[in-house]
Amino acid sequence: MSVKAAGGDAAGSGEGSPFDDLGVAVGLAEPLAPHTWLGVGGPAKWFCEPVDVAALGRVVKRCQEHSIPLRVIGGGSNVLVPAAGFAGMVVRLSAPAFSAIAVEGTTLQAGAGAKLVHVVAAAVQAGLSGLETLVGIPGTVGGALVGNAGGRGGDIGDTVRTVTAMTADGTVVERTGADLTFGSRWSNLDDVIVIGCRLVLEAEDTDLLTKRMQKRWIVDRTEQPAGVRTVAMMFKDPHGSTAEALVTQAGARDIRVGEASIHGPRSNYVVAQPGCTSDDVRLLVEQVRARVRERLGVELTPQIELW
Ligand SMILES: Cc1cc2nc3c(=O)[nH]c(=O)nc-3n(C[C@H](O)[C@H](O)[C@H](O)COP(=O)(O)OP(=O)(O)OC[C@H]3O[C@@H](n4cnc5c(N)ncnc54)[C@H](O)[C@@H]3O)c2cc1C
């Protein structure tokens, strides 16, 4: 969710913080780099990890009252924070109240802050299929739902029955049926804070599921950059091709900007080497995109989100 300031000065300049009376620990100038996979970028003006939905609601409402822009950070595996940071509130749903996973019959409920890999493992352990091919995708359930994370084996959106979310005025709503749209690495959940979801899965033999999950895990490990943590996926796969193939065909694999380079064997991933800046990564993605456009006439859509 991203709520833009409606104009004028965001409150908070001068005396105290606009969050002082909320009973929520709010950090000032929190470095965001450690909260992202790439490990680059500047600080958030305000940062908090609310303990429960009520505390989150107070923060969200206060942001709206003071026209303070607000963003949620999940696992930080798909965001690029600019060097200037983010001049608003960044919320992370890391508290236990947002990370619970529960299985009942063929229904799995998960909090938005739960790690996707834990949700996949819980489903497989309970003998439920539908998520096992998502095992190698980093990040949280919230991030996965907003971007409809997935791959060749299917997307998370295929399994979603209900999403519980908070709107910009702090109201908790349930979205289901026609109110939920999932597309290719996209969903219509970009105007809310996702709090949790109910997924409907199918009963299947646990041993078979475990084998399928392990196979997917092994494939992912060969398809994703191994041994480096400071990486991000650059582009969405266009219809009928892969971003990796196009980057390679366009001869863009050797492009390097400062300390940002393309991961040798996996050319749809940017790697931030020590000393890399946010601008290095942004410029590299722009240059690769331009090269593919010039040489192949294809406009790649960035996967990574620039804040
Ligand atoms: C090595 C690697 C492999 C990857 N492989 C895949 C893959 O196979 N398939 C795939 O689809 N993606 C893949 N990705 C991209 C990324 O992992 C996914 O997009 C992931 O779902 C992002 O989740 P996150 O929690 O890290 O989100 P973040 O990066 O933290 O956030 C992404 C967006 O979601 C928003 N968001 C996060 N949580 C919430 C919430 N609770 N409410 C509202 N908005 C929220 C953020 O504001 C931001 O706009 C890969 C990335 C890496 C680094």
Side-chain angles (χ1 to χ4, degrees):
M1 181 199 206
S2 143
V3 182
K4 300 262 166 12
D9 257 349
S13 51
E15 64 300 331
S17 140
F19 305 100
D20 283 350
D21 61 333
L22 297 186
V24 178
V26 171
L28 293 175
E30 167 85 7
L32 289 175
H35 296 291
T36 70
W37 268 54
L38 281 167
V40 299
K45 185 166 185 182
W46 296 288
F47 180 86
C48 74
E49 299 178 271
V51 288
D52 55 23
V53 174
L56 173 66
R58 293 198 294 278
V59 171
V60 169
K61 206 157 171 251
R62 185 58 54 89
C63 284
Q64 192 190 49
E65 286 161 2
H66 290 264
S67 298
I68 294 171
L70 180 150
R71 282 181 190 267
V72 184
I73 192 154
S77 63
N78 203 38
V79 292
L80 176 61
V81 178
F86 181 67
M89 166 63 80
V90 173
V91 172
R92 193 161 166 262
L93 303 181
S94 53
F98 298 103
S99 312
I101 302 169
V103 177
E104 200 182 323
T106 54
T107 300
L108 184 150
Q109 297 211 61
K115 284 189 176 171
L116 187 62
V117 66
H118 292 167
V119 174
V120 172
V124 167
Q125 206 178 314
L128 295 176
S129 92
L131 299 177
E132 62 280 3
T133 57
L134 308 180
V135 67
I137 303 177
T140 59
V141 167
L145 289 169
V146 171
N148 192 18
R152 271 166 295 178
D155 303 334
I156 191 166
D158 301 338
T159 66
V160 177
R161 173 65 56 87
T162 311
V163 172
T164 308
M166 185 175 284
T167 57
D169 63 359
T171 308
V172 175
V173 294
E174 289 237 315
R175 284 200 180 168
T176 192
D179 290 338
L180 284 173
T181 312
F182 293 97
S184 174
R185 303 289 85 77
W186 171 90
S187 81
N188 67 344
L189 294 165
D190 54 355
D191 59 345
V192 288
I193 295 177
V194 176
I195 297 173
C197 63
R198 189 141 29 96
L199 311 178
V200 176
L201 305 167
E202 282 182 27
E204 206 178 316
D205 179 72
T206 302
D207 289 343
L208 283 176
L209 280 172
T210 306
K211 281 193 188 119
R212 208 182 300 149
M213 179 175 73
Q214 281 167 346
K215 197 170 154 202
R216 184 70 242 170
W217 182 255
I218 290 162
V219 171
D220 279 348
R221 291 188 77 83
T222 58
E223 289 187 346
Q224 292 179 356
V228 262
R229 160 72 206 236
T230 53
V231 294
M233 201 183 242
M234 290 191 288
F235 303 106
K236 300 180 185 196
D237 284 334
H239 192 65
S241 184
T242 64
E244 177 169 309
L246 295 171
V247 172
T248 306
Q249 262 179 46
R253 286 172 61 149
D254 296 332
I255 295 179
R256 187 184 174 106
V257 177
E259 295 306 322
S261 57
I262 291 180
H263 188 262
R266 310 269 42 126
S267 52
N268 192 25
Y269 289 91
V270 51
V271 182
Q273 308 289 356
C276 185
T277 66
S278 183
D279 278 348
D280 290 346
V281 175
R282 184 178 52 77
L283 288 171
L284 181 129
V285 173
E286 276 173 22
Q287 287 186 19
V288 172
R289 197 174 179 209
R291 177 78 64 86
V292 172
R293 185 190 310 123
E294 281 156 22
R295 302 227 171 138
L296 305 176
V298 179
E299 191 66 53
L300 287 172
T301 307
Q303 157 84 16
I304 186 164
E305 194 184 301
L306 180 65
W307 274 20

